[in-house]
Amino acid sequence: MPPVPALSQESVMDFEVGLASAEESLSHEADSLDLLLRRLRGRISPVLIGDREWEKVLELAGRLPTSMAAFPFGFEFPLHESAPRANFAVSVIGGGQSAAFLQNVGQAEGAGRTAQSIASLLAELGNEESDLRRVAGRKLLLEYEIEPARESAQSDPGFFLCPAPDVLAGDGRRSGDLAVVLDAVSSATGRDPDIAERREIEWVYRAMEPETSVRGVGVFPSRGPGVRLAIEGFRDSSALMAFLERAAWPGRRSVVASTVAPLEERAAFTWMGVQLDLRPDGVGPRLGLDFFPEESDWLKDIRPWRAFIEGIGAQGLAVPERLSALAESWPGAEMLFGKTGLFLHLRGIHHFELGLAGDEFDQVKAYAFLLIMGSRSQE
């Protein structure tokens, strides 16, 4: 993983003041996030999200505050499918205005288990004295699945804790800190820690090299038990293949090698991440490979992605129309006029993921973000 410079106390305070100001500005723009998204429909190609799917996104966003647009949020576009659909994701920072909103929802009478869990996690992430805050930082990622066949949009998201790059490095010495995150996730799902599952996660952690790190620990309550680990920092295919062997991933490594090699020859990525599903009986067969073209992972320009897009196109991994729509219409920056002044609207691609569940990579997903920055947040 690229190093993250330490922030001075003054920098941390400036960031928190700017964040609070951005949330406050956006909260005056509309009562809920869907009203803000409606203004952006013309910027999002119907090839990526159809009208029916868009309405379900708006249904979900209607349950969330507009202040959430102060943090990166956006879509998971399945580019291997011709249907114009997408999943929806938002990030929340513990201690902020958006976090307070979700905590109130989770603490209200009649709140569901997942809403309660999210409220509990955000309370800890907002507490400067908590061990979870020390290890996982302040960010919580929520991922909502959008299924057109459903009558209404999913209300229970998957959620991920996102430690900084240097916190859970693969040096074999951070098992205690990893346990802090795992305990928080287990508690949030109402499960007691599973000894066998922990043993498998520890095995995978010890299979990591020092230049890699655990960047995400999450669960999908609607899918049942199991923990997903996101590990990043693999610079080439040889490091990736060696890790998969040490971690006892049960899939066909030859398929991984033959898919990654052409992308590596094109210099289509600078580093990779791996997503693994951990269960009491071992590492699951599903594998997600995340690709990043530069040290920065919040890119609002399509140019760094050209080699990768051409590479997966040449391998026939994505539907050409969907891939072209993403490349032509998504990244960019523009100014928007709001009630409280000018806002900078950014669109970009965070990463691509290739997914393998059997004997071939049959899933390609682009994780595209939006961010709306108010003028007050830059003062």
Side-chain angles (χ1 to χ4, degrees), residues 79-146:
L79 302 177
H80 55 282
E81 300 178 359
S82 57
R85 73 179 193 88
N87 291 330
F88 185 58
V90 296
S91 51
V92 195
I93 303 299
Q97 183 173 326
S98 302
F101 176 92
L102 292 180
Q103 286 176 248
N104 289 335
V105 170
Q107 294 164 359
E109 184 177 354
R113 174 72 205 185
T114 300
Q116 295 175 20
S117 300
I118 291 170
S120 177
L121 287 172
L122 287 172
E124 280 204 68
L125 296 177
N127 179 4
E128 295 182 3
E129 305 300 321
S130 77
D131 281 342
L132 184 62
R133 164 75 170 266
R134 174 180 59 81
V135 178
R138 297 175 61 190
K139 178 180 175 182
L140 182 67
L141 179 66
L142 307 179
E143 295 189 9
Y144 296 86
E145 292 184 331
I146 307 293

Side-chain angles (χ1 to χ4, degrees), residues 263-279:
L263 297 172
E264 193 167 25
E265 291 171 3
R266 290 174 177 267
F269 61 87
T270 296
W271 48 285
M272 294 176 285
V274 172
Q275 293 190 38
L276 296 173
D277 290 337
L278 280 299
R279 307 174 305 199

Side-chain angles (χ1 to χ4, degrees), residues 320-331:
E321 293 79 10
R322 297 263 284 167
L323 192 59
S324 296
L326 178 72
E328 294 170 4
S329 69
W330 190 262

Side-chain angles (χ1 to χ4, degrees), residues 20-32 35-36 39 65-68 97 338-341 343 376:
S21 179
E23 287 190 286
E24 180 65 22
S25 292
L26 285 164
S27 69
H28 293 296
E29 291 300 311
D31 292 332
S32 54
L35 299 177
L36 187 60
R39 296 180 56 186
T66 312
S67 57
M68 277 195 169
Q97 183 173 326
K339 297 176 182 177
T340 58
F343 289 85
R376 291 185 187 178

Side-chain angles (χ1 to χ4, degrees), residues 186-239:
S186 294
S187 176
T189 54
R191 295 192 297 133
D192 293 327
D194 187 297
I195 296 176
E197 184 178 86
R198 291 295 177 88
R199 187 183 302 119
E200 296 299 331
I201 293 173
E202 179 71 17
W203 174 271
V204 169
Y205 172 65
R206 294 194 177 280
M208 293 166 54
E209 293 289 347
E211 61 270 17
T212 63
S213 61
V214 176
R215 295 300 310 279
V217 180
V219 294
F220 294 88
S222 62
R223 301 181 190 177
V227 174
R228 179 165 295 180
L229 288 187
I231 301 166
E232 296 180 6
F234 301 95
R235 295 287 176 171
D236 53 46
S237 58
S238 60

